[in-house]
Amino acid sequence: MSPGQLGRANGVRRESITLGIGPIAIHFVASSEDHPLLVQPGYLAFERAGARPDVAVECSVGSAQPLVAPVVFESNGVWELRRDAWGREQVYFPAKGCVGQHLFTLTLEPGVQRAQYVTVATRLRGGAIPLGHPIDEYLVSRLLGRRRGFILHASAIASDGRALLFVGHSGAGKSTVAEIADRAGGTVLTDERTIVTIDGSNVTAWGTPWHGTYAACSADHAPVGAGFLLVQDERDYLEVVDPGVAFSECFVRTVQPTADRDEVICTIDLLQQMVSRIPLYSLHFQPTAAAYSLAREHATSAVAGC
């Protein structure tokens, strides 16, 4: 999906749709013909018709009441996670400044194979239920914790058959590098959040629809050639990053599943494997094509030397 196309239209209405984000397939279905799903243009590239879903989500309109169960995680008043004695989990988003009022809830059955998404009527668009962030990202992050993957704050560029990861917090230059790379002929998988999976010795980067300011994405994936920690500077140069430092820098830039102990352990294990299997550098750079060329050429040399 090219930049600027995300959100240019009002979306399409569907009774159901299966989205493939990374290796995870999510099937969304509207519970009523009166309130179909509204799928934004940026998500259509991730449609995976006929795929067997990892989780099926029934979407409806209602009061979005929270589950009567203990709170097991709270995110600074933005959302809460509750878990009952039967293993059901629910994440709900309250309306800001409105005590006791909730925008929507997502209830997960044990095993995270089925879920119910309930949104309040005020969030409808022309009577349709809007699909997208944060529900899809939450589901994917939870399932990746069970499928040997995680989400990393990084832009990912596919070039010469491999992906380059440019890792950084907000403002580090992920979208800037993505725009430069796009103009230089690279394929932008994402300019904000990359899914990383590990299968044996293979480290793979997957595009996602969760974009940054450049608003470019792709449903493609590619083996990772190298990773770069972004450091804005007055000149372009690379420094090799020690695996221990690389682990710490990447860990604080993961979208971490915090609801389940085993999912957290999986993320830590996969990060350790990633930093030991791909070359990692700090990329000191100015926002020019020369910085991207430096990273691309160095990654090519590193792969050739393996």
Side-chain angles (χ1 to χ4, degrees):
M1 182 70 63
S2 62
Q5 289 183 320
L6 303 178
R8 180 178 294 171
N10 293 323
V12 298
R13 293 168 179 252
R14 296 281 186 85
E15 295 301 322
S16 65
I17 188 171
T18 300
L19 298 178
I21 303 177
I24 304 300
I26 307 173
H27 182 68
F28 294 95
V29 59
S31 64
S32 169
E33 294 181 356
D34 295 333
H35 300 297
L37 310 176
L38 182 65
V39 186
Q40 297 302 315
Y43 282 88
L44 295 177
F46 293 83
E47 184 173 5
R48 196 181 295 174
R52 181 178 179 179
D54 294 285
V55 58
V57 185
E58 183 182 41
C59 305
S60 62
V61 180
S63 60
Q65 293 299 314
L67 191 68
V68 180
V71 175
V72 296
F73 183 80
E74 193 272 334
S75 180
N76 298 321
V78 178
W79 58 273
E80 290 185 1
L81 178 70
R82 300 187 178 205
R83 183 182 294 126
D84 66 17
W86 295 273
R88 288 189 305 166
E89 296 180 356
Q90 184 191 74
V91 56
Y92 76 92
F93 285 71
K96 290 185 177 179
C98 301
V99 177
Q101 297 185 31
H102 307 92
L103 297 177
F104 55 86
T105 60
L106 178 69
T107 305
L108 283 62
E109 300 298 328
V112 198
Q113 294 182 327
R114 300 190 64 83
Q116 297 82 42
Y117 171 44
V118 180
T119 185
V120 296
T122 54
R123 296 189 69 248
L124 298 179
R125 296 182 185 177
I129 301 172
L131 291 186
H133 191 270
I135 293 300
D136 56 336
E137 184 179 17
Y138 181 81
L139 285 168
V140 169
S141 68
R142 293 298 308 278
L143 288 165
L144 283 172
R146 300 160 181 251
R147 307 286 197 280
R148 299 191 61 74
F150 59 92
I151 303 171
L152 185 65
H153 283 286
S155 56
I157 311 300
S159 177
D160 304 317
R162 292 188 174 271
L164 307 182
L165 298 180
F166 296 93
V167 184
H169 283 307
S170 177
K174 299 187 298 296
S175 293
T176 298
V177 171
E179 181 176 2
I180 291 170
D182 193 12
R183 293 175 178 174
T187 299
V188 180
L189 301 180
T190 173
D191 72 329
E192 176 62 23
R193 292 178 177 87
T194 300
I195 290 175
V196 177
T197 59
I198 298 180
D199 181 11
S201 61
N202 300 317
V203 181
T204 304
W206 305 71
T208 72
W210 313 312
H211 60 83
T213 57
Y214 188 52
C217 66
S218 168
D220 291 339
H221 61 279
V224 178
F228 302 89
L229 303 175
L230 294 175
V231 182
Q232 297 186 35
D233 209 330
E234 295 180 353
R235 64 187 181 93
D236 301 332
Y237 66 97
L238 291 166
E239 291 183 323
V240 176
V241 179
D242 176 82
V245 174
F247 173 85
S248 298
E249 293 290 338
C250 290
F251 182 71
V252 298
R253 292 171 174 84
T254 58
V255 179
Q256 301 171 25
T258 54
D260 184 272
R261 176 179 177 274
D262 291 338
E263 293 169 13
V264 175
I265 291 175
C266 177
T267 298
I268 292 172
D269 175 61
L270 293 178
L271 271 175
Q272 290 175 332
Q273 293 184 45
M274 185 189 80
V275 301
S276 67
R277 293 178 183 178
I278 66 171
L280 284 152
Y281 311 90
S282 59
L283 173 61
H284 296 251
F285 75 103
Q286 299 181 88
T288 67
Y292 170 65
S293 295
L294 175 63
R296 178 183 173 187
E297 291 168 5
H298 208 79
T300 301
S301 299
V303 172
C306 293

